[in-house]
Amino acid sequence: MPARDEAATVAGVVAACRSCAYVREVIVVDDGSTDDTAERALAAGAKVLRLPVRAPAGSAASPGSPATATSVGPRGSVGPPGSAASPRSVGSKALAMEAGVELSDADAILFVDADLRGITGAHLDDICRPYLEGRAAMSLGVFDYGIWNPLVLRFPPTSGERILPRWVFEAVPPAKRDGYLIEIMLNEVVTEARMPCTARVMRGVTHRTKREKFGWREGYRRTWAMFRSLWALWGVCRKRTYWFYLKDLTIER
């Protein structure tokens, strides 16, 4: 679970993950939070990994030397991380996900965003079931958009709620593990291999929007920046990837 400044929701999402019948361990990767996201996740029962933060230019720290990442266990003990977290940057969802995968020994990874509202263990059970029953190599959950759900379910999936084999994440080249675009890269690995996918609406589930997090002006600016980045990928990704996705997709009810 990548998380940055999600103190308002992270504990509830951790609780939902812990109540999922198929989850063995909940790992929250605190990606440079300025609030108490890490502390709330820890109190809710997650293992917390704080990513390294680069010292600002001109500070007392030596140039180019990031702080050491720390891994915090469910009982609050702090020690070296289970594996080296990437020092490339803070503020990248993809690198937070990468650090969480490195800390886990699981063969299948359930990714969940930390800003969800209304999420329950039952929602996550429904996402995991098609994968564990062998009906899907990647199973996704999408937000509840009401009358728009039939259309949204057929969009190229950018959902942060998905389960897939560990090797799929590791198959994404490090150079393509960039920010929130990582979901598109995961789609590409699965669909190019012509593996089946499932998607379902998580009824009643929404999320904190960027406008709520950053205010209207900054929120809209960040939202449009995200859309521009996603649109730019249309010129990078193979067009057949989306066609393969639709051909191999089963929509769960």
Side-chain angles (χ1 to χ4, degrees), residues 5-219:
D5 293 334
E6 301 292 1
T9 51
V10 67
V13 182
V14 169
C17 291
R18 294 189 67 202
S19 65
C20 175
Y22 308 108
V23 168
R24 172 166 55 88
E25 180 181 47
V26 180
I27 298 173
V28 173
V29 181
D30 183 348
D31 189 20
S33 293
T34 58
D35 62 11
D36 59 345
T37 292
E39 289 75 15
R40 294 194 182 196
L42 184 65
K47 176 184 289 186
V48 177
L49 174 66
R50 292 184 174 97
L51 284 189
V53 181
R54 290 187 182 276
S59 68
S62 58
S65 58
T68 302
T70 57
S71 175
V72 187
R75 300 193 179 184
S77 59
V78 180
S83 59
S86 168
R88 281 176 279 174
S89 69
V90 162
S92 167
K93 180 178 182 179
L95 297 187
M97 291 166 66
E98 176 184 86
V101 171
E102 290 176 353
L103 193 59
S104 172
D105 63 357
D107 293 327
I109 307 292
L110 172 64
F111 291 108
V112 181
D113 288 340
D115 61 354
L116 303 183
R117 287 174 169 157
I119 190 73
T120 67
H123 288 117
L124 300 177
D125 287 346
D126 287 341
I127 293 173
C128 291
R129 201 169 290 115
Y131 174 84
L132 294 167
E133 292 176 354
R135 295 186 285 113
M138 181 172 68
S139 179
L140 307 113
V142 302
F143 298 143
D144 190 348
Y145 290 99
I147 62 172
W148 299 106
N149 286 338
L151 181 62
V152 172
L153 282 166
R154 291 165 176 82
F155 282 166
T158 58
S159 173
E161 288 62 59
R162 62 179 72 200
I163 184 172
L164 42 74
R166 181 191 189 97
W167 71 261
V168 169
F169 188 91
E170 293 174 341
V172 177
K176 290 187 175 182
R177 298 177 189 175
D178 181 23
Y180 47 78
L181 305 182
I182 182 64
E183 278 98 2
I184 302 296
M185 300 298 107
L186 294 173
N187 299 342
E188 187 173 75
V189 172
V190 172
T191 55
E192 286 294 323
R194 298 307 306 269
M195 295 188 293
C197 301
T198 60
R200 68 184 302 120
V201 173
M202 300 181 292
R203 300 290 178 184
V205 177
T206 60
H207 70 124
R208 292 177 65 224
T209 66
K210 288 180 170 54
R211 295 176 297 285
E212 292 179 81
K213 296 176 186 179
F214 305 108
W216 284 91
R217 178 176 296 180
E218 179 63 12

